[in-house]
Amino acid sequence: MGEVKPMEYDLLENREFEDWLVKLRREFHRYPEPGWLEYRTTVRIIEELEQIGIPVIWGRDLYAADCRLGLPEPEEDRAAVRRAIEETKREDLIAGMAGGFTGVMAVIEGKQTGPAVGIRVDIDSNELEESEAPEHRPAREGFASVHRGNMHGCGHDGHAAIGLGAARILCANREKLGGTVYLFFQSAEEGGRGAQAVVKKGLLSNLDYFYGGHIGINQAPFGTISASTYGFMAGTKFDVEFYGRASHAGKAPEEGANAIAAAAGAVLNLLAISRSGKGISRVNVGKIQGGSGRNVIPDYTLLKAETRGGSPEVSAYMFERAMSVCRGAAQMYGCDMNCRIMGESRNAECDGEMVRFVERSAAELREIKEIIPASDMGAGENITFMMNEVSRQGGQATFMLLGADIKAPHHSSTFDFDERVIPLAARLFAKLALDLKSEKRK
């Protein structure tokens, strides 16, 4: 790839820009929404993009509808729609995304010729109850979640703000921008549910370059970035339903088939699956629920679980063993079982040439003190579907880690991060796209 040329930040190194981004992050944090239910979040992103002057694609134009995984139950969706309309007064927008069609794609056209560049940020929250402890900054400073049972515990509130900051920079520098930037504000990253439907819609066709990033992974300090990641784990998120027969637990226990017993047997044996010697493997059961009362043989139990692997082969092995365990547990207790795939992740590799370009471009940002060529992700990330699609078509992709001092582990009730990373990452994301203007199309 060509030489990186310095760019001017004519309006960006200022407090107003940084305060705007922090304010946005705190607003997103205060009103978290889980995957496919990010109605308020999507409305606010659209409003900000339109105010900047950037056209957007949203609603059913964003997804191959049948490829969306892990959709919420209809009543949960309706409740989220009602709440978002009450909070935003934008029924005109929300009506067009009801049914789990959240998320936005911004289209920023440069004034010069150049490549097609894709950027992805994710916007969904976790299903967590946020801490109310006074030492937790969001609680202390008044921007903790007001949506009970939901919290931004993974930094996606910061990612959404980063995307808007990058959009503002790029829009202000259209004269210097070559080609077109497609900026994806993706729904339902958690659980591996959203990217597949974007890919199947064909919106990543003909991208020359593609990148994204994540705040706080590996606990690198502010001012450090990793230009790429490795160790993306493939995996499958699944729900298993056990169907038994209800009966009186005292008078006729022999007539029942205990669905909780089947699920409990499955849990113990899932966690006992022999790990693979061919690579990293993981299995977890995160939730089990069922039954109606202590004197009734339970006829239904739901089990939520996942398997992971460091390679496609190991991932497939773990999932196949999990299904064998669940079928055996159901048969042992005279029950039926059904499995539903709720989410998926894939292995992926960053492109070396793109990584070296990121290193050169990022080195010109004064706040970046250390650039690590590659870091271990050690988890799944839904962006891998997008990365693999871009690579399949001959483009180049990378996924960066953005250093930020964090106060607690990701996916915990006290997660928080150093907000200085937001404007820095926005400048980095925009600078990469602007520096790519001199690159030749494939």
Side-chain angles (χ1 to χ4, degrees), residues 266-281:
V267 169
L268 293 176
N269 286 289
L270 282 168
L271 299 177
I273 291 174
S274 178
R275 302 304 187 262
S276 173
K278 298 180 180 179
I280 296 171
S281 54

Side-chain angles (χ1 to χ4, degrees), residues 302-313:
L302 171 66
L303 184 153
K304 293 179 177 285
E306 66 171 14
T307 55
R308 306 186 191 217
S311 69
E313 180 183 9

Side-chain angles (χ1 to χ4, degrees), residues 35-49:
W36 302 127
L37 301 176
E38 309 100 322
Y39 293 109
R40 185 191 190 282
T41 305
T42 300
V43 166
R44 289 293 295 116
I45 292 169
I46 291 174
E47 289 176 339
E48 291 292 334
L49 290 170

Side-chain angles (χ1 to χ4, degrees), residues 24 67 117 161 191 211 232 240 332 400:
L24 282 171
C67 296
V117 177
Y211 53 90
F232 289 106
V240 178
M332 180 180 294
M400 297 168 283

Side-chain angles (χ1 to χ4, degrees), residues 370-391:
E370 182 181 10
I371 301 173
I372 301 168
S375 295
D376 187 359
M377 183 68 181
E381 231 292 352
N382 201 217
I383 197 173
T384 53
F385 283 90
M386 295 176 160
M387 294 173 65
N388 289 337
E389 178 65 10
V390 171
S391 296

Side-chain angles (χ1 to χ4, degrees), residues 213-230:
H214 203 298
I215 289 172
I217 302 292
N218 291 351
Q219 301 186 12
F222 172 75
T224 301
I225 72 159
S226 178
S228 69
T229 46
Y230 60 90

Side-chain angles (χ1 to χ4, degrees), residues 77-121:
D77 180 76
R78 288 190 289 268
V81 166
R82 290 192 297 269
R83 182 179 68 186
I85 291 173
E86 181 178 339
E87 291 175 348
T88 65
K89 315 303 180 189
R90 293 301 304 268
E91 186 173 2
D92 58 322
L93 287 176
I94 293 172
M97 61 182 84
F101 290 92
T102 49
V104 190
M105 183 176 75
V107 182
I108 308 168
E109 295 187 0
K111 299 297 184 180
Q112 300 185 32
T113 59
V117 177
I119 304 173
R120 187 278 246 164
V121 295

